[in-house]
Amino acid sequence: MNYGMIPQTVIDEVLRRHEISDTVGKYVHLTKNGKYLKGLCPFHSEKTPSFTVTPEKQIFHCYGCGKGGNVIKFVMEMEGETFPEAVKALAEEAGIPITWTTANTEEPSAFQKEKQTLHEAHDYSLKLYHYLLKNMEVAKLAREYLHSRGFNDALIEHFGIGYAPARWDTLTQALERKGYSLAEMEAGGLLSRRQDAEGYVDRFRDRVIFPIHDTSGNTIAFAGRLMSDGQPKYLNSPETPLFNKSRTLYRLHEARPAIRRARQVVLFEGYVDVIKAWSAGIHNGVATMGTALTGEHAAMLKRFADEVILCYDGDDAGQAAAHKSIPLLEEAGFRVRVSILPNRMDPDEYISSYGPEPFVREFIDGAVSAVKFQLIYLRKSHILLEEDGKIRYLRDAVRIVARKDSPTERELLLKELAQEFGVSLDTLKQESLEFRQQEKLGNVGDIPAGSWNNVWNENRSTSKNPPLGAANVNAERQLLSWMMQDKETALLVQQRLGERFLIEDHAALAAYLYAYYAQGNDPDIGRFVTVLQDDRLERSASAIALIEVPYGEKELEDFLRTIERASESKGSIEQKYEEMRRADRAGDKLQAAQILKEILSLEKQRKQL
């Protein structure tokens, strides 16, 4: 077996060297529950643990969202990596020599070649801009500006900050000398087309340059801060084959480990804020790139964090942006807190003026809850010195509180409002109840109590399988579970049933198991999952592998006969359908109707098998 150019022996060694509970434990707090380990699923928001790790079988499975697989699959899901990328990362961590190439043996497409060229050109541009800032006289004012803003040489080096001279063709000439097509460089956002003549010019001129990276750490774009008078003061690369603002967060590639450890991300508005916060010890900070927060941003962050702290500018625009971002983040499943900076300051200004310790204490550790911020923000639109203003504010405030799921949180917030405005707590609670009834707000839970089992996951399946009786479905699952654990059972099932599993996914898993054992492999569920390379089948396999039913020859025979009868019934039904179609084509509507009646009877019998 081979993926790209990764030898199967390496994949096996990666699985052997990485105990799944240790790897998962770096991301999820696990507690022992018999032979299983349980924890809150890192892939979806939940309050009741439905995520399991089975060290004995080296697999994970979530009964809530259905994700499952081995340690490689877990890293793929957590880090958003491909199979080769996850294997490579785990191999490096285990000290396994990287002696293979993950490149596709097929000829790369034109689009892949274009992206590769642009990656190389961006890397070269980054090095050039950085060299110019550090060494050239023309960059003296830029160096002085950065030092005045609190950027020491170590920060400049760490973040790869550079400088684009005021000349029109510094980068253009450099790229041309390196043999790059200037038209391609313009399409990649590094150059601009001349407006008054043929040819190209540098997009960034007389600007301090901040490189932007993708989640793998590749340079994909730049942001520039203008040193002279003019507009725009801040300029980002345009959207290109490499750079999509709605799917890019500044420094996420570097902040990701800290975000995972804390399960918390601090979201800033600008790259300078991220850098200054980094210098203050906040290593889990990222920023959007000249665009509002999007659902795609939220989905990216949800893989690594459960809580977001919005640390936007303290001016009206920054607070409005924070207010707008709260529902988007809460809908994605985050707990949200908000920093409220004083005197319309931004994080960079506050850290420069007062130092890192007060900033962390007051605005990171001391960030207020989202609902508290919404109540504070709401005050701006009401005149609280007037009686009517107070009444309108209280009604709007109670509506915000009413939308909170936690009865305890609602009680505490309403009590604060009652005390501040001198009104009855019971009155506010009654109004809150009315709002909840109007908006049909009930208790939003996770998985129903007592449903932490295979039935819950089975019921939420979207598979397009024909309706079958519970006995037949159960028989196929039990057989597959035993087949994963015992080679002889798999061979017996192959002889008796072959491909006659009626659930599509079950038939596919059986076929993979037959091939797996035919290659001389021994039972190893974690290793078998790597063969599948299909998300749906991996989920199904991990769920089936957790079925705990003692093996018995009588039970085995019963399951085989159940499936054989169901298969025969299916064959009879298919034959009847063909007879009905022939009768219909012959114009014998009465005969077709009679056969349809027989089909319905057979379908009913099959569901009872």
Side-chain angles (χ1 to χ4, degrees):
M1 194 66 60
N2 191 303
Y3 303 96
M5 297 296 291
I6 307 177
Q8 181 64 42
T9 54
V10 172
I11 296 171
D12 293 343
E13 187 66 8
V14 163
L15 293 172
R16 190 182 70 81
R17 296 270 198 101
H18 288 275
E19 166 60 45
I20 191 168
S21 57
D22 293 339
T23 300
V24 175
K26 296 175 184 177
Y27 304 81
V28 180
H29 177 67
L30 298 170
T31 57
K32 191 165 181 58
N33 183 27
K35 67 169 71 174
Y36 304 105
L37 298 170
K38 288 174 57 178
L40 293 174
C41 181
F43 306 120
H44 80 288
S45 180
E46 63 177 8
K47 298 170 186 173
T48 304
S50 60
F51 180 86
T52 65
V53 174
T54 312
E56 177 187 358
K57 298 174 181 176
Q58 288 297 295
I59 57 172
F60 73 93
H61 183 74
C62 177
Y63 290 109
C65 66
K67 289 186 183 294
N70 58 18
V71 68
I72 298 173
K73 184 65 175 179
F74 181 82
V75 172
M76 288 170 64
E77 294 282 358
M78 284 301 300
E79 301 293 351
E81 294 178 337
T82 63
F83 184 88
E85 288 170 340
V87 172
K88 184 173 183 289
L90 288 167
E92 289 175 339
E93 185 178 327
I96 300 170
I98 309 297
T99 58
W100 69 91
T101 172
T102 57
N104 196 318
T105 56
E106 297 179 2
E107 179 70 19
S109 66
F111 181 68
Q112 289 171 327
K113 289 179 179 178
E114 179 190 10
K115 289 183 68 174
Q116 179 61 35
T117 299
L118 290 178
H119 276 307
E120 293 171 359
H122 276 81
D123 286 340
Y124 173 74
S125 302
L126 166 63
K127 292 172 184 175
L128 177 63
Y129 287 143
H130 187 58
Y131 175 84
L132 292 173
L133 176 68
K134 290 176 63 178
N135 298 285
M136 302 304 288
E137 182 64 23
V138 293
K140 181 179 178 182
L141 290 178
R143 290 193 294 272
E144 291 175 352
Y145 164 78
L146 288 169
H147 291 153
S148 72
R149 293 288 300 270
F151 288 77
N152 57 33
D153 291 342
L155 274 181
I156 291 171
E157 186 69 31
H158 183 86
F159 287 90
I161 300 170
Y163 174 69
R167 284 180 49 179
W168 289 79
D169 60 356
T170 301
L171 183 62
T172 302
Q173 288 190 17
L175 290 172
E176 192 168 30
R177 284 194 299 270
K178 294 287 288 184
Y180 290 108
S181 162
L182 298 188
E184 289 184 14
M185 297 302 98
E186 188 265 338
L190 292 171
L191 305 179
S192 297
R193 190 180 296 274
R194 286 183 181 273
Q195 295 181 351
D196 55 353
E198 292 294 322
Y200 302 91
V201 296
D202 295 2
R203 172 174 291 275
F204 297 100
R205 300 183 300 277
D206 195 23
R207 292 179 183 273
V208 171
I209 297 294
F210 299 85
I212 301 169
H213 303 83
D214 62 17
T215 53
S216 298
N218 301 307
T219 308
I220 58 171
F222 295 102
R225 199 275 189 193
L226 190 63
M227 289 290 94
S228 55
D229 294 333
Q231 291 295 328
K233 185 176 179 181
Y234 295 97
L235 178 68
N236 288 340
S237 294
E239 298 218 345
T240 70
L242 299 183
F243 179 47
N244 184 309
K245 295 178 184 179
S246 297
R247 294 198 291 267
T248 304
L249 289 164
Y250 180 68
R251 301 307 286 184
L252 177 58
H253 72 288
E254 188 172 35
R256 191 166 52 191
I259 294 171
R260 285 198 315 260
R261 284 193 297 273
R263 299 299 299 172
Q264 176 197 80
V265 59
V266 182
L267 192 58
F268 296 98
E269 284 191 276
Y271 37 86
V272 173
D273 293 331
V274 172
I275 297 171
K276 292 299 285 293
W278 178 279
S279 70
I282 301 166
H283 293 175
N284 58 332
V286 299
T288 51
M289 292 307 311
T291 184
L293 187 72
T294 67
E296 290 169 298
H297 290 140
M300 286 173 62
L301 291 173
K302 195 67 188 75
R303 298 205 303 265
F304 318 117
D306 301 313
E307 179 180 74
V308 173
I309 296 177
L310 290 169
C311 194
Y312 287 179
D313 294 353
D315 58 14
D316 292 343
Q319 298 304 285
H323 185 262
K324 187 177 180 180
S325 297
I326 289 171
L328 186 151
L329 290 166
E330 289 186 331
E331 186 176 343
F334 286 104
R335 296 188 304 274
V336 183
R337 293 194 289 141
V338 185
S339 302
I340 306 176
L341 276 76
N343 304 322
R344 306 173 69 83
M345 300 178 82
D346 60 38
D348 166 36
E349 291 172 331
Y350 190 94
I351 294 170
S352 297
S353 300
Y354 300 102
E357 291 182 7
F359 177 77
V360 173
R361 182 178 63 250
E362 298 294 330
F363 305 112
I364 303 301
D365 297 340
V368 302
S369 68
V371 67
K372 278 283 188 71
F373 171 79
Q374 289 171 314
L375 293 176
I376 294 169
Y377 187 81
L378 181 64
R379 291 172 180 266
K380 297 180 180 180
S381 57
H382 294 277
I383 303 174
L384 297 184
L385 294 176
E386 298 177 356
E387 198 66 28
D388 285 348
K390 288 182 181 179
I391 293 171
R392 284 194 293 271
Y393 169 77
L394 275 174
R395 284 187 62 81
D396 289 345
V398 171
R399 187 183 296 274
I400 290 173
V401 174
R403 294 191 177 114
K404 303 307 293 181
D405 290 334
S406 167
T408 303
E409 186 176 11
R410 293 199 301 270
E411 173 95 12
L412 290 173
L413 290 167
L414 292 175
K415 188 175 293 185
E416 289 181 13
L417 288 171
Q419 291 172 349
E420 180 180 359
F421 289 92
V423 296
S424 164
L425 174 60
D426 289 339
T427 300
L428 296 184
K429 289 171 73 173
Q430 179 61 34
E431 193 152 352
S432 171
L433 178 61
E434 290 173 4
F435 279 134
R436 289 182 65 81
Q437 290 172 343
Q438 288 171 15
E439 299 189 15
K440 295 181 173 59
L441 296 170
N443 291 324
V444 181
D446 297 302
I447 300 167
S451 298
W452 193 63
N453 53 40
N454 290 331
V455 174
W456 169 252
N457 198 42
E458 192 69 40
N459 287 342
R460 62 191 301 279
S461 170
T462 58
S463 178
K464 298 178 181 178
N465 291 310
L468 294 171
N472 185 77
V473 174
N474 180 61
E476 293 192 355
R477 290 169 61 85
Q478 299 288 3
L479 283 181
L480 286 168
S481 177
W482 288 341
M483 290 164 68
M484 289 184 203
Q485 299 172 63
D486 183 70
K487 187 174 184 177
E488 295 303 319
T489 300
L491 294 176
L492 175 61
V493 172
Q494 184 177 13
Q495 292 169 2
R496 284 278 296 271
L497 297 180
E499 306 295 328
R500 286 189 294 163
F501 285 79
L502 299 184
I503 303 294
E504 181 182 336
D505 287 357
H506 295 173
L509 287 174
Y512 273 112
L513 278 165
Y514 300 153
Y516 177 78
Y517 288 128
Q519 293 168 1
N521 295 310
D522 293 323
D524 184 329
I525 294 170
R527 188 172 191 267
F528 171 66
V529 169
T530 65
V531 173
L532 301 175
Q533 289 290 289
D534 179 274
D535 188 62
R536 194 173 77 183
L537 291 182
E538 288 171 358
R539 293 183 182 203
S540 183
S542 64
I544 290 170
L546 294 178
I547 296 174
E548 295 288 349
V549 173
Y551 175 85
E553 291 189 6
K554 179 181 181 303
E555 289 80 4
L556 173 63
E557 183 62 29
D558 288 343
F559 292 148
L560 288 168
R561 287 180 178 175
T562 297
I563 297 172
E564 286 171 339
R565 287 197 300 270
S567 178
E568 291 167 2
S569 175
K570 180 186 177 185
S572 299
I573 291 170
E574 289 174 349
Q575 182 178 347
K576 288 291 183 183
Y577 268 116
E578 181 57 34
E579 292 176 7
M580 184 181 71
R581 284 191 288 268
R582 284 200 300 268
D584 189 58
R585 285 195 298 268
D588 191 344
K589 303 298 182 184
L590 187 62
Q591 176 69 9
Q594 178 61 37
I595 296 173
L596 177 61
K597 185 177 179 181
E598 294 173 12
I599 289 172
L600 295 176
S601 177
L602 288 171
E603 289 278 17
K604 184 177 180 180
Q605 293 174 24
R606 185 170 70 144
K607 291 178 184 178
Q608 295 172 349
L609 289 176

